[in-house]
Amino acid sequence: MGRLLGAFLLLGLGLFVAACSSPPQVANDPCNRMASLAPESNLVVPNDGAHNNARLAEAVAAAVNTQRCRAGLLDLENDLTLVLIAQGHTDDMSAGGFFSSNSPIIGKGTLGERLESENVRFAEALENLQKGFFMNYNKATNFRVINAPRCQYAQIDASGRPRLISRHTYITMAQDLVADMMNTPSQRAAIMSPSASRQGIAITPTGSTTLCGEFVANQLIVTDIAS
C-alpha cells in the first residue's frame, strides 16, 4: 500500500474573494507547455456537465509541467485512468453535496479505495480539492450581475471601465486552477513533488448558478513504485 496525502482549498463564494491570478506566460519560454496544446483547448468550457475532462486534464498537465520545468523537475504524465477516478469523485461530491477527500459512498470512502478499485499501483498518492466558477473573473475585484441566466457579469477593468467577464476556456480554467494550487502551500508541495510521476484532474458542476455556475475539482498526483 502506498502513502496517501490530501490537501484542499475552498475558494470564497462571496462577491469579493482573495486575489489569485494566472501566472504570466513568458514569450519564447522553453518551459511553456501550454503552447503545444491543441486549438480545441481554446474552446469555452460548457457549464452543463458536457465538458471534456480529458481535454481539461491535458491543459492542467501542461500548466503543471510548465511550473515543474521552471523548477528543474520532470514533467508529469497525464494519466486518463486518474482522470476517470477524479471524475467519479467530483461527480459524487456534486451529487452528494459534500466537499472532502473522504466519501460516504461504500467502496469509495478513501482515496486509496478509489485508486485500488481501478488497480492503480502507487508508492504515494496526493489529492488536491478545489472549488471554482465557469467565469474567468478577477478574484480581486467585485463583480456585477448583468443577466445571470445568460451568464452575463461585469467587472471594472484596469482602465476603470466596466467590461463583461468572459467564460473560461480549457486553457484559462487550467491556468486558474494551477495558479490557485500554486498559491496554497500544501497543494503546491503536491504539484512540485520531485518524485511524482502522473496526474489526473476532473471537474463537475455543482448546480450553483453564481458566475455561470460553480464546479468542484479533484486532482490526483501519483508517485510510481520504483522498479
Side-chain angles (χ1 to χ4, degrees), residues 29-56:
D29 179 1
C31 284
N32 181 12
R33 304 295 192 257
M34 307 298 287
S36 63
L37 291 172
E40 290 78 10
S41 297
N42 289 297
L43 295 174
V44 168
V45 182
N47 64 347
D48 59 358
H51 60 276
N52 187 322
N53 268 322
R55 183 176 297 154
L56 176 64

Side-chain angles (χ1 to χ4, degrees), residues 70-151:
R70 290 172 181 168
L73 300 172
L74 296 176
D75 285 1
L76 299 184
E77 174 191 349
N78 184 39
D79 188 321
L80 293 182
T81 298
L82 295 182
V83 173
L84 290 175
I85 295 170
Q87 183 177 359
H89 192 53
T90 57
D91 288 348
D92 291 342
M93 284 193 291
S94 177
F98 68 94
F99 184 68
S100 172
S101 291
N102 296 320
S103 172
I105 298 175
I106 295 175
K108 298 182 178 182
T110 66
L111 173 58
E113 287 179 299
R114 295 191 291 274
L115 292 171
E116 290 170 8
S117 70
E118 296 296 332
N119 298 312
V120 175
R121 299 178 69 246
F122 59 93
E124 181 178 70
L126 308 168
E127 183 172 49
N128 291 333
L129 301 182
Q130 288 197 6
K131 289 186 178 182
F133 298 97
F134 285 91
M135 301 301 291
N136 184 18
Y137 74 106
N138 182 348
K139 299 183 181 74
T141 306
N142 292 339
F143 65 86
R144 292 175 54 195
V145 178
I146 305 301
N147 189 321
R150 294 186 178 182
C151 290

